[in-house]
Amino acid sequence: MYSTDLAYIHDAGFGDFAARAAPEVIRILRRHGIRPRAERFRGTTGSGRARRVVEVGCGSGTLARHLVDAGYDVVGLDISPAMIRLAREKVPEATFRVASLTKARMPRCDAVVAIGEVVTYVPASGGGTGVPPALRKFFSRVHEALEPGGLFIFDFIERGVWRTYPAKIHSGGDWVIAAHAELDAAGQILTRRMVAIRKVGRQYRRTQESHRVRIYKRRAVANALAGAGFTARMSRSYGRYRLLPGDVAVIATRR
Ligand SMILES: C[S@@+](CC[C@H](N)C(=O)[O-])C[C@H]1O[C@@H](n2cnc3c(N)ncnc32)[C@H](O)[C@@H]1O
């Protein structure tokens, strides 16, 4: 998943989502009292602890770059080693680890952020039409890691049918990708099949990947969050930045 060339293409051609969501995510953190160090101690001599944000599914580090620039400490986790390599180049000030959200040890923090449908990549075993056990456990580990009043910000897909498409082609300066997305009969799993070609030096490299992501019911996610100890609010946007059709943004506070 997100091997070298697909990670490169995601960063080069699809980084816009994280770049546009970032200022809104930072506004949400501030509004909930999670302010970067410079603002908390402006005009004082105190050094104070910087607020730490753990970004799960951090991809190539686009949001992490904005968070660090705003004055947060960032720990980024992603299952893709290629994504983590790009993130380390982009944000040398942050700490990055290759890890899956289903198993990762979560460091103590003030906020956990997982934008870009990261929680939909959880394996489909168990959970029926609800939230799979692996995701419930993740919610509990996020709760344990957060300081009291800490924030958990993420998004998921609730309407898979709005996210299907026949073959689509995107291209950039040195790459082209063809993709299509289809839903299973039960409407629970969206499969995106992608074939990419990237020019590296004088060679053209071909990569093929299939990503299976899960569709969740809003109520099931709300119940799982409540069970894990969160109070959650859901909407269709991060602040003024509207998500793709069928996506839901969650701002959950640790009780
Ligand atoms: C659609 S990309 C979004 C990347 C980034 N958050 C953004 O908005 O640009 C989904 C990311 O989730 C990561 N991912 C998928 N499954 C994961 C898992 N189980 N644990 C951690 N990261 C995962 C992928 O490697 C990928 O970087």
Side-chain angles (χ1 to χ4, degrees), residues 154-169:
F154 66 98
D155 51 83
F156 67 92
I157 309 173
E158 72 167 348
R159 288 211 206 292
V161 72
W162 292 357
R163 304 301 302 282
T164 59
Y165 46 85
K168 263 207 283 208
I169 293 180

Side-chain angles (χ1 to χ4, degrees), residues 30-107:
R30 285 196 172 113
R31 211 175 47 237
H32 286 80
I34 302 171
R35 296 200 173 83
R37 182 179 5 216
E39 285 178 18
R40 293 165 66 221
F41 298 98
R42 190 169 288 153
T44 76
T45 53
S47 58
R49 175 179 72 82
R51 297 298 195 130
R52 180 189 273 168
V53 178
V54 173
E55 192 191 355
V56 179
C58 60
S60 57
T62 302
L63 172 59
R65 182 68 268 164
H66 284 258
L67 289 167
V68 166
D69 289 346
Y72 292 99
D73 264 3
V74 175
V75 177
L77 311 175
D78 200 286
I79 200 168
S80 157
M83 285 291 202
I84 290 292
R85 278 196 294 277
L86 293 174
R88 285 184 177 137
E89 276 169 29
K90 194 178 287 182
V91 201
E93 307 92 321
T95 303
F96 292 101
R97 288 205 321 257
V98 176
S100 170
L101 69 86
T102 58
K103 293 198 186 108
R105 194 176 41 80
M106 304 283 297

Side-chain angles (χ1 to χ4, degrees), residues 18-237:
R20 292 179 64 195
E24 301 300 334
V25 168
I26 290 168
R27 233 172 256 139
I28 293 166
L29 292 172
R30 285 196 172 113
R31 211 175 47 237
H32 286 80
I34 302 171
R35 296 200 173 83
R37 182 179 5 216
E39 285 178 18
R40 293 165 66 221
F41 298 98
R42 190 169 288 153
T44 76
T45 53
S47 58
R49 175 179 72 82
R51 297 298 195 130
R52 180 189 273 168
V53 178
V54 173
E55 192 191 355
V56 179
C58 60
S60 57
T62 302
L63 172 59
R65 182 68 268 164
H66 284 258
L67 289 167
V68 166
D69 289 346
Y72 292 99
D73 264 3
V74 175
V75 177
L77 311 175
D78 200 286
I79 200 168
S80 157
M83 285 291 202
I84 290 292
R85 278 196 294 277
L86 293 174
R88 285 184 177 137
E89 276 169 29
K90 194 178 287 182
V91 201
E93 307 92 321
T95 303
F96 292 101
R97 288 205 321 257
V98 176
S100 170
L101 69 86
T102 58
K103 293 198 186 108
R105 194 176 41 80
M106 304 283 297
R108 194 102 195 120
C109 58
D110 302 285
V112 174
V113 180
I115 70 163
E117 302 172 355
V118 173
V119 300
T120 66
Y121 287 82
V122 164
S125 60
T129 60
V131 170
L135 190 55
R136 283 178 190 277
K137 284 187 194 141
F138 174 62
F139 288 172
S140 296
R141 279 183 294 113
V142 171
H143 186 269
E144 268 168 38
L146 284 171
E147 298 288 349
L151 271 198
F152 179 24
I153 301 172
F154 66 98
D155 51 83
F156 67 92
I157 309 173
E158 72 167 348
R159 288 211 206 292
V161 72
W162 292 357
R163 304 301 302 282
T164 59
Y165 46 85
K168 263 207 283 208
I169 293 180
H170 299 273
S171 59
D174 54 2
W175 56 269
V176 59
I177 187 165
H180 84 270
E182 64 194 11
L183 205 53
D184 68 346
Q188 285 172 18
I189 308 282
L190 183 73
T191 303
R192 298 188 184 112
R193 295 195 168 83
M194 294 164 270
V195 179
I197 293 175
R198 179 183 169 200
K199 184 168 187 283
V200 181
R202 299 176 67 179
Q203 295 201 322
Y204 290 88
R205 289 201 310 225
R206 182 181 181 280
T207 310
Q208 190 166 338
E209 288 190 23
S210 280
H211 294 180
R212 283 160 56 86
V213 298
R214 258 179 101 99
I215 313 303
Y216 301 125
K217 290 198 165 39
R218 209 185 257 237
R219 182 175 298 177
V221 175
N223 288 343
L225 285 167
F230 288 99
T231 303
R233 218 164 38 75
M234 299 194 184
S235 67
R236 294 232 172 259
S237 61

